[in-house]
Amino acid sequence: MSHRNNDSNYTSIPVSSSYLELQPQHQHHKSNSFQRLSFDESGGFLGSKVVVNHNDNDNDDDNDDDDDDDLEIDIDNYPLVIGPNPNHGSGVPGAVFNLTTTIIGAGLMALPATMKVLGVVVGIVLIILMGILSEISVELLVRFSVLCKATSYGEVVQEAMGRPARILSEICIILNNAGVLVVYLIIMGDVMSGSVHHLGVFDQLMGNGVWDQRKLVILVVMVIFLAPLCSLDKIDSLSLTSAASVALAVMFVVVTFTVASIKLVEGKIDTPRMVPDFSSKKAILDLLVVIPIMTNAYVCHFNVQPIYNELEGRSPQKMNRVGRLTTTLCILVYAATAVSGYLLFGEDTESDVLTNFDKDLGIRFSSVLNYIVRVGYVLHLITVFPVIHFSLRQTVDTLVFEGSAPLTESRKRSLGLTAILLVLIYIGCTMIPNIWTAFKFTGATTAVSLGFIFPPLVAIRLGHKWELSYVEWFLSWLMLVLAVTVSIVGVIGNVYSLESKS
């Protein structure tokens, strides 16, 4: 077994089938040192030690049995994880695409409606603030996952707070991801087949027909497009589709922003509201439920470990770079979409802004742009769907089949879980009326918990073992208090809103 890393000062020397020794290329004559990396029989990484040999004799044969002269330094916390085939993994661009795809999904479509409630200034400030807090929580999660040698979200939570907390976090992942995937299917159905108040793409292109059956259209999309992508075993296999999804999302943003800019220059857009409206009871109630929807837009934490596990030459520093690039891209995309969508449709902005694109935009080639925007975003959701489904399937498998062989080693179990989950998600999309209803509740409960409650709790609980700076302590407590407040207020607002409607 041998391996050479061109970015390292070490060369590998095969010494045993169970461990690997990395020796510096430039050594002093008086001290020979090497790093010993231990592996199990399957090639999994067990641990590492630095071994320093103080014997001046360069003849290895004379020193084979002289273990007393060796000083072993445990460096198990060293943030380099080595396993089988370390060169085969995702690079930084692929990881950025996968993480960005996890974040930019259906939440993008709800942001113009949140801008309508919050106003432009407060809305942009919250988009930036939530992005920064989300990135901080991701970095905390990566740091303590590596220190605990955890390979999943649930494992690091268990290390910090015990098994009941892990089960709770995994239930949150399942509910959050299943809810998000249900929303994706709802949007696909609304855009392609239409809804009560809006025409679908098929209706506008071909008139009435069998394609008006929303449930049938969703079923066909699921069988032809989603099922094959969801059956893949590794998230790295989705890097190309993730790149395509990011490109489609950017195309949507560019078209929307361009149309809004043209209409703004031509004076065809009314002056938008800059701050929230406190003039009525309904406006205040909308304000209470809209902030959890904003928090839902940045939740990607359940996919951080799977992406990190498949990152080539992985280290916390490299994953932090992935997170920061992703956050910057998402803030730009979210701000541009929220502002341009609200400018275009004003007080008529729907909870799913895509449904607004069935009418004349007031510029040349309006109908062509409408088709491009809607069809392009449906394709985006098709490519995002399997990325969210991946962590959903992994979490269900971990919770239900604990102690079994990894899912990648059981093709039958993987396909069986995929089929069951897709059926349940399909049933769910036929029962929930719109994406606003789904986002209000997942945003105030599971999304807030996964993104802004569990990560700071992990940092606070493990901070005594691996010291946190004063700034990290402060940010962790601040994030925790804000998240709990948002969750409580959001749930109360949602319940009160339902009672008011009833």
Side-chain angles (χ1 to χ4, degrees):
M1 178 178 181
S2 63
H3 169 59
R4 181 181 178 98
N5 187 335
N6 292 329
D7 296 330
S8 173
N9 291 324
Y10 295 93
T11 54
S12 58
I13 301 176
V15 296
S16 169
S17 60
S18 61
Y19 63 87
L20 179 90
E21 292 180 358
L22 300 181
Q23 292 190 339
Q25 294 174 344
H26 306 290
Q27 296 191 51
H28 298 293
H29 294 295
K30 296 296 182 181
S31 176
N32 294 322
S33 65
F34 54 85
Q35 180 180 347
R36 177 171 295 174
L37 309 181
S38 301
F39 299 86
D40 58 23
E41 293 179 356
S42 62
F45 180 65
L46 296 176
S48 59
K49 292 180 179 179
V50 169
V51 180
V52 182
N53 186 343
H54 292 293
N55 197 309
D56 294 340
N57 195 334
D58 292 334
N59 190 342
D60 291 339
D61 294 333
D62 294 337
N63 300 323
D64 285 343
D65 298 325
D66 190 7
D67 294 333
D68 294 335
D69 292 332
D70 291 344
L71 172 64
E72 294 191 353
I73 305 169
D74 189 2
I75 59 165
D76 285 343
N77 291 333
Y78 191 73
L80 175 64
V81 179
I82 296 181
N85 299 323
N87 272 334
H88 296 93
S90 172
V92 170
V96 170
F97 286 139
N98 279 331
L99 196 59
T100 303
T101 300
T102 305
I103 295 175
I104 300 180
L108 183 64
M109 297 298 100
L111 287 180
T114 65
M115 193 69 70
K116 179 177 71 172
V117 175
L118 295 170
V120 174
V121 174
V122 177
I124 291 177
V125 169
L126 271 181
I127 286 174
I128 296 172
L129 178 63
M130 295 307 302
I132 293 172
L133 289 177
S134 178
E135 170 56 23
I136 292 171
S137 67
V138 166
E139 293 192 11
L140 288 174
L141 194 63
V142 170
R143 175 181 172 183
F144 286 101
S145 296
V146 172
L147 290 173
C148 297
K149 299 181 175 64
T151 58
S152 69
Y153 191 100
E155 285 184 18
V156 70
V157 170
Q158 179 173 336
E159 181 72 22
M161 292 174 283
R163 179 166 174 74
R166 172 179 180 164
I167 293 174
L168 179 61
S169 71
E170 290 175 342
I171 291 173
C172 285
I173 292 175
I174 292 170
L175 293 176
N176 181 80
N177 289 23
V180 168
L181 295 182
V182 165
V183 168
Y184 288 178
L185 295 185
I186 291 173
I187 292 178
M188 293 178 200
D190 288 346
V191 171
M192 302 310 295
S193 296
S195 61
V196 177
H197 304 291
H198 295 277
L199 289 174
V201 171
F202 289 146
D203 281 334
Q204 289 182 308
L205 284 176
M206 299 177 286
N208 294 329
V210 68
W211 41 83
D212 289 337
Q213 303 299 316
R214 181 171 170 271
K215 296 178 182 179
L216 177 61
V217 170
I218 293 174
L219 182 62
V220 171
V221 170
M222 179 172 282
V223 171
I224 295 178
F225 297 105
L226 300 180
L229 290 173
C230 290
S231 64
L232 297 174
D233 287 333
K234 291 186 176 183
I235 197 168
D236 182 48
S237 305
L238 299 169
S239 293
L240 289 178
T241 57
S242 294
S245 74
V246 173
L248 289 166
V250 171
M251 181 192 72
F252 169 82
V253 173
V254 170
V255 171
T256 307
F257 192 78
T258 302
V259 173
S261 299
I262 292 173
K263 294 188 70 174
L264 187 64
V265 171
E266 294 177 350
K268 297 180 180 178
I269 290 180
D270 297 331
T271 303
R273 187 168 62 251
M274 294 289 114
V275 295
D277 179 16
F278 299 101
S279 61
S280 66
K281 181 179 177 181
K282 180 181 180 301
I284 295 174
L285 188 62
D286 286 341
L287 189 61
L288 292 179
V289 300
V290 80
I291 296 178
I293 295 174
M294 189 77 76
T295 64
N296 201 8
Y298 282 102
V299 173
C300 61
H301 303 66
F302 48 82
N303 258 352
V304 168
Q305 270 91 356
I307 292 172
Y308 177 79
N309 293 341
E310 296 182 15
L311 183 63
E312 184 179 6
R314 53 193 176 273
S315 69
Q317 294 78 12
K318 196 168 188 178
M319 190 63 195
N320 288 345
R321 188 162 75 250
V322 169
R324 289 165 189 172
L325 288 171
T326 299
T327 301
T328 302
L329 177 60
C330 290
I331 287 175
L332 293 174
V333 169
Y334 278 171
T337 301
V339 172
S340 58
Y342 175 44
L343 288 177
L344 275 179
F345 305 110
E347 295 303 312
D348 295 327
T349 304
E350 298 282 351
S351 59
D352 172 11
V353 75
L354 271 184
T355 57
N356 284 111
F357 284 90
D358 67 338
K359 57 177 69 71
D360 186 7
L361 297 176
I363 64 171
R364 296 178 60 188
F365 310 111
S366 174
S367 60
V368 174
L369 291 175
N370 278 338
Y371 289 132
I372 291 175
V373 165
R374 289 184 290 171
V375 174
Y377 209 80
V378 166
L379 293 175
H380 166 75
L381 293 181
I382 288 174
T383 54
V384 174
F385 193 100
V387 176
I388 307 298
H389 173 272
F390 179 87
S391 58
L392 172 63
R393 183 181 62 193
Q394 291 289 103
T395 306
V396 170
D397 180 70
T398 301
L399 195 60
V400 177
F401 298 100
E402 184 178 6
S404 301
L407 198 60
T408 53
E409 297 178 10
S410 178
R411 186 62 176 164
K412 289 183 178 179
R413 194 166 87 243
S414 177
L415 292 176
L417 275 176
T418 299
I420 292 171
L421 290 174
L422 290 181
V423 169
L424 293 176
I425 291 166
Y426 175 76
I427 294 173
C429 82
T430 64
M431 299 172 64
I432 296 177
N434 57 61
I435 70 171
W436 197 256
T437 301
F439 273 142
K440 281 194 302 185
F441 282 98
T442 59
T445 53
T446 59
V448 170
S449 299
L450 293 173
F452 305 102
I453 293 180
F454 282 117
L457 274 177
V458 167
I460 292 168
R461 291 296 298 269
L462 296 178
H464 68 279
K465 189 175 181 181
W466 293 287
E467 291 187 2
L468 287 175
S469 67
Y470 289 116
V471 173
E472 290 171 329
W473 276 108
F474 173 77
L475 289 174
S476 296
W477 277 108
L478 176 65
M479 196 184 308
L480 185 59
V481 171
L482 289 176
V484 171
T485 303
V486 166
S487 182
I488 293 172
V489 171
V491 170
I492 293 174
N494 289 334
V495 172
Y496 189 76
S497 176
L498 288 177
E499 289 179 353
S500 299
K501 289 181 180 179
S502 62

